[in-house]
PDB file of all heavy atoms in Angstrom:
ATOM      1  N   LEU A1236     -31.989   2.601  10.651  1.00  0.00           N
ATOM      2  CA  LEU A1236     -32.515   3.813  11.263  1.00  0.00           C
ATOM      3  C   LEU A1236     -32.417   4.974  10.282  1.00  0.00           C
ATOM      4  O   LEU A1236     -31.508   5.000   9.433  1.00  0.00           O
ATOM      5  CB  LEU A1236     -31.739   4.163  12.534  1.00  0.00           C
ATOM      6  CG  LEU A1236     -31.618   3.082  13.627  1.00  0.00           C
ATOM      7  CD1 LEU A1236     -30.708   3.590  14.728  1.00  0.00           C
ATOM      8  CD2 LEU A1236     -32.978   2.707  14.181  1.00  0.00           C
ATOM      9  N   ASP A1237     -33.335   5.943  10.412  1.00  0.00           N
ATOM     10  CA  ASP A1237     -33.176   7.175   9.651  1.00  0.00           C
ATOM     11  C   ASP A1237     -32.376   8.164  10.483  1.00  0.00           C
ATOM     12  O   ASP A1237     -31.950   7.870  11.610  1.00  0.00           O
ATOM     13  CB  ASP A1237     -34.530   7.744   9.239  1.00  0.00           C
ATOM     14  CG  ASP A1237     -35.401   8.125  10.429  1.00  0.00           C
ATOM     15  OD1 ASP A1237     -34.893   8.160  11.575  1.00  0.00           O
ATOM     16  OD2 ASP A1237     -36.598   8.382  10.222  1.00  0.00           O
ATOM     17  N   ILE A1238     -32.178   9.350   9.964  1.00  0.00           N
ATOM     18  CA  ILE A1238     -31.304  10.314  10.621  1.00  0.00           C
ATOM     19  C   ILE A1238     -31.913  10.857  11.907  1.00  0.00           C
ATOM     20  O   ILE A1238     -31.244  11.505  12.711  1.00  0.00           O
ATOM     21  CB  ILE A1238     -30.983  11.468   9.634  1.00  0.00           C
ATOM     22  CG1 ILE A1238     -29.717  12.206  10.073  1.00  0.00           C
ATOM     23  CG2 ILE A1238     -32.163  12.418   9.504  1.00  0.00           C
ATOM     24  CD1 ILE A1238     -29.197  13.161   9.037  1.00  0.00           C
ATOM     25  N   LYS A1239     -33.208  10.574  12.138  1.00  0.00           N
ATOM     26  CA  LYS A1239     -33.856  11.006  13.370  1.00  0.00           C
ATOM     27  C   LYS A1239     -33.932   9.881  14.408  1.00  0.00           C
ATOM     28  O   LYS A1239     -34.503  10.062  15.480  1.00  0.00           O
ATOM     29  CB  LYS A1239     -35.265  11.518  13.067  1.00  0.00           C
ATOM     30  CG  LYS A1239     -35.272  12.758  12.184  1.00  0.00           C
ATOM     31  CD  LYS A1239     -36.694  13.243  11.932  1.00  0.00           C
ATOM     32  CE  LYS A1239     -36.697  14.486  11.043  1.00  0.00           C
ATOM     33  NZ  LYS A1239     -38.077  14.966  10.766  1.00  0.00           N
ATOM     34  N   GLY A1240     -33.381   8.712  14.064  1.00  0.00           N
ATOM     35  CA  GLY A1240     -33.387   7.590  14.991  1.00  0.00           C
ATOM     36  C   GLY A1240     -34.598   6.698  14.882  1.00  0.00           C
ATOM     37  O   GLY A1240     -34.782   5.794  15.701  1.00  0.00           O
ATOM     38  N   LYS A1241     -35.459   6.907  13.882  1.00  0.00           N
ATOM     39  CA  LYS A1241     -36.657   6.084  13.726  1.00  0.00           C
ATOM     40  C   LYS A1241     -36.292   4.747  13.084  1.00  0.00           C
ATOM     41  O   LYS A1241     -35.539   4.683  12.117  1.00  0.00           O
ATOM     42  CB  LYS A1241     -37.677   6.821  12.852  1.00  0.00           C
ATOM     43  CG  LYS A1241     -38.968   6.042  12.631  1.00  0.00           C
ATOM     44  CD  LYS A1241     -39.921   6.821  11.727  1.00  0.00           C
ATOM     45  CE  LYS A1241     -41.184   6.017  11.462  1.00  0.00           C
ATOM     46  NZ  LYS A1241     -42.126   6.746  10.561  1.00  0.00           N
ATOM     47  N   LYS A1242     -36.852   3.652  13.622  1.00  0.00           N
ATOM     48  CA  LYS A1242     -36.596   2.321  13.075  1.00  0.00           C
ATOM     49  C   LYS A1242     -37.365   2.137  11.770  1.00  0.00           C
ATOM     50  O   LYS A1242     -38.574   2.326  11.713  1.00  0.00           O
ATOM     51  CB  LYS A1242     -37.012   1.246  14.083  1.00  0.00           C
ATOM     52  CG  LYS A1242     -36.150   1.178  15.323  1.00  0.00           C
ATOM     53  CD  LYS A1242     -36.569   0.009  16.200  1.00  0.00           C
ATOM     54  CE  LYS A1242     -35.710  -0.077  17.452  1.00  0.00           C
ATOM     55  NZ  LYS A1242     -36.103  -1.213  18.319  1.00  0.00           N
ATOM     56  N   LEU A1243     -36.635   1.759  10.719  1.00  0.00           N
ATOM     57  CA  LEU A1243     -37.242   1.532   9.413  1.00  0.00           C
ATOM     58  C   LEU A1243     -37.285   0.062   9.033  1.00  0.00           C
ATOM     59  O   LEU A1243     -38.166  -0.358   8.278  1.00  0.00           O
ATOM     60  CB  LEU A1243     -36.464   2.300   8.334  1.00  0.00           C
ATOM     61  CG  LEU A1243     -36.331   3.820   8.542  1.00  0.00           C
ATOM     62  CD1 LEU A1243     -35.498   4.421   7.426  1.00  0.00           C
ATOM     63  CD2 LEU A1243     -37.705   4.468   8.604  1.00  0.00           C
ATOM     64  N   ARG A1244     -36.349  -0.713   9.560  1.00  0.00           N
ATOM     65  CA  ARG A1244     -36.276  -2.128   9.197  1.00  0.00           C
ATOM     66  C   ARG A1244     -35.474  -2.865  10.242  1.00  0.00           C
ATOM     67  O   ARG A1244     -34.513  -2.315  10.783  1.00  0.00           O
ATOM     68  CB  ARG A1244     -35.617  -2.285   7.818  1.00  0.00           C
ATOM     69  CG  ARG A1244     -35.521  -3.729   7.311  1.00  0.00           C
ATOM     70  CD  ARG A1244     -34.671  -3.779   6.041  1.00  0.00           C
ATOM     71  NE  ARG A1244     -34.566  -5.132   5.517  1.00  0.00           N
ATOM     72  CZ  ARG A1244     -33.710  -5.509   4.572  1.00  0.00           C
ATOM     73  NH1 ARG A1244     -32.893  -4.615   4.038  1.00  0.00           N
ATOM     74  NH2 ARG A1244     -33.660  -6.760   4.146  1.00  0.00           N
ATOM     75  N   THR A1245     -35.860  -4.098  10.549  1.00  0.00           N
ATOM     76  CA  THR A1245     -35.123  -4.936  11.492  1.00  0.00           C
ATOM     77  C   THR A1245     -34.855  -6.290  10.854  1.00  0.00           C
ATOM     78  O   THR A1245     -35.776  -6.932  10.337  1.00  0.00           O
ATOM     79  CB  THR A1245     -35.900  -5.122  12.803  1.00  0.00           C
ATOM     80  OG1 THR A1245     -36.126  -3.848  13.400  1.00  0.00           O
ATOM     81  CG2 THR A1245     -35.100  -5.992  13.779  1.00  0.00           C
ATOM     82  N   ILE A1246     -33.609  -6.709  10.865  1.00  0.00           N
ATOM     83  CA  ILE A1246     -33.210  -8.023  10.336  1.00  0.00           C
ATOM     84  C   ILE A1246     -32.822  -8.895  11.518  1.00  0.00           C
ATOM     85  O   ILE A1246     -31.839  -8.622  12.207  1.00  0.00           O
ATOM     86  CB  ILE A1246     -32.033  -7.869   9.360  1.00  0.00           C
ATOM     87  CG1 ILE A1246     -32.417  -6.947   8.216  1.00  0.00           C
ATOM     88  CG2 ILE A1246     -31.585  -9.231   8.850  1.00  0.00           C
ATOM     89  CD1 ILE A1246     -31.253  -6.617   7.301  1.00  0.00           C
ATOM     90  N   ASN A1247     -33.606  -9.921  11.786  1.00  0.00           N
ATOM     91  CA  ASN A1247     -33.333 -10.828  12.904  1.00  0.00           C
ATOM     92  C   ASN A1247     -32.240 -11.819  12.520  1.00  0.00           C
ATOM     93  O   ASN A1247     -32.193 -12.313  11.381  1.00  0.00           O
ATOM     94  CB  ASN A1247     -34.600 -11.574  13.304  1.00  0.00           C
ATOM     95  CG  ASN A1247     -35.665 -10.646  13.859  1.00  0.00           C
ATOM     96  OD1 ASN A1247     -35.363  -9.695  14.575  1.00  0.00           O
ATOM     97  ND2 ASN A1247     -36.923 -10.882  13.510  1.00  0.00           N
ATOM     98  N   THR A1248     -31.364 -12.097  13.473  1.00  0.00           N
ATOM     99  CA  THR A1248     -30.272 -13.044  13.258  1.00  0.00           C
ATOM    100  C   THR A1248     -30.298 -14.109  14.350  1.00  0.00           C
ATOM    101  O   THR A1248     -30.834 -13.884  15.438  1.00  0.00           O
ATOM    102  CB  THR A1248     -28.912 -12.337  13.272  1.00  0.00           C
ATOM    103  OG1 THR A1248     -28.739 -11.665  14.522  1.00  0.00           O
ATOM    104  CG2 THR A1248     -28.836 -11.312  12.150  1.00  0.00           C
ATOM    105  N   ALA A1249     -29.694 -15.259  14.055  1.00  0.00           N
ATOM    106  CA  ALA A1249     -29.708 -16.358  15.021  1.00  0.00           C
ATOM    107  C   ALA A1249     -28.790 -16.076  16.198  1.00  0.00           C
ATOM    108  O   ALA A1249     -29.042 -16.533  17.309  1.00  0.00           O
ATOM    109  CB  ALA A1249     -29.305 -17.665  14.337  1.00  0.00           C
ATOM    110  N   ARG A1250     -27.722 -15.306  15.971  1.00  0.00           N
ATOM    111  CA  ARG A1250     -26.760 -15.008  17.018  1.00  0.00           C
ATOM    112  C   ARG A1250     -26.423 -13.515  16.982  1.00  0.00           C
ATOM    113  O   ARG A1250     -26.862 -12.793  16.093  1.00  0.00           O
ATOM    114  CB  ARG A1250     -25.468 -15.824  16.834  1.00  0.00           C
ATOM    115  CG  ARG A1250     -25.673 -17.334  16.933  1.00  0.00           C
ATOM    116  CD  ARG A1250     -24.360 -18.059  16.608  1.00  0.00           C
ATOM    117  NE  ARG A1250     -24.487 -19.500  16.706  1.00  0.00           N
ATOM    118  CZ  ARG A1250     -24.963 -20.253  15.721  1.00  0.00           C
ATOM    119  NH1 ARG A1250     -25.325 -19.703  14.575  1.00  0.00           N
ATOM    120  NH2 ARG A1250     -25.059 -21.565  15.870  1.00  0.00           N
ATOM    121  N   GLU A1251     -25.639 -13.098  17.944  1.00  0.00           N
ATOM    122  CA  GLU A1251     -25.169 -11.715  17.948  1.00  0.00           C
ATOM    123  C   GLU A1251     -24.232 -11.502  16.776  1.00  0.00           C
ATOM    124  O   GLU A1251     -23.316 -12.282  16.547  1.00  0.00           O
ATOM    125  CB  GLU A1251     -24.448 -11.419  19.264  1.00  0.00           C
ATOM    126  CG  GLU A1251     -24.133  -9.954  19.466  1.00  0.00           C
ATOM    127  CD  GLU A1251     -23.540  -9.694  20.837  1.00  0.00           C
ATOM    128  OE1 GLU A1251     -24.312  -9.457  21.786  1.00  0.00           O
ATOM    129  OE2 GLU A1251     -22.297  -9.753  20.952  1.00  0.00           O
TER     130      GLU A1251
END
Side-chain angles (χ1 to χ4, degrees):
L1236 306 175
D1237 62 12
I1238 200 169
K1239 296 181 180 179
K1241 180 181 178 181
K1242 291 185 180 180
L1243 303 178
R1244 182 188 181 192
T1245 300
I1246 301 173
N1247 295 322
T1248 58
R1250 297 175 179 83
E1251 190 175 271

